[in-house]
Amino acid sequence: MDADFNDTGKPELLAHEQTYHGFSILLRWCMLGLATAISTLTLWFATPAGFLGGLVIGIVVFAVGYAILVRREEKQPLSLWVEGR
């Protein structure tokens, strides 16, 4: 690889990074929605917990998943060249 490689002036590279970042956030939201739906519906229909038990666990799963999966990723800057990446 060339020692003088400098890619800071390439807009297509930044556009690719922004697209990847957006897809990553979308994928995390989909995983969170599936985890919430599966846990809620399983508890609602397959256990004696019923609707309220499934709803409470669904809210907990959503809150914990949002804090772990989505919130951290959304705070990342889209620019590759920003300090703190």
Side-chain angles (χ1 to χ4, degrees), residues 43-83:
L43 285 173
W44 184 4
F45 291 114
T47 66
F51 174 73
L52 289 179
L55 183 65
V56 168
I57 294 300
I59 291 170
V60 169
V61 167
F62 182 82
V64 170
Y66 179 78
I68 293 173
L69 286 175
V70 179
R71 190 169 173 220
R72 183 187 65 82
E73 183 71 22
E74 284 181 338
K75 289 183 178 181
Q76 293 289 329
L78 290 178
S79 178
L80 289 171
W81 295 224
V82 172
E83 289 293 324

Side-chain angles (χ1 to χ4, degrees), residues 12-61:
E12 64 273 358
L13 187 61
L14 185 58
H16 174 71
E17 170 70 18
Q18 290 172 342
T19 303
Y20 177 78
H21 181 73
F23 178 74
S24 175
I25 290 174
L26 175 68
L27 190 62
R28 289 169 189 257
W29 274 109
C30 290
M31 288 189 306
L32 180 59
L34 282 172
T36 303
I38 289 171
S39 61
T40 301
L41 292 173
T42 300
L43 285 173
W44 184 4
F45 291 114
T47 66
F51 174 73
L52 289 179
L55 183 65
V56 168
I57 294 300
I59 291 170
V60 169
V61 167

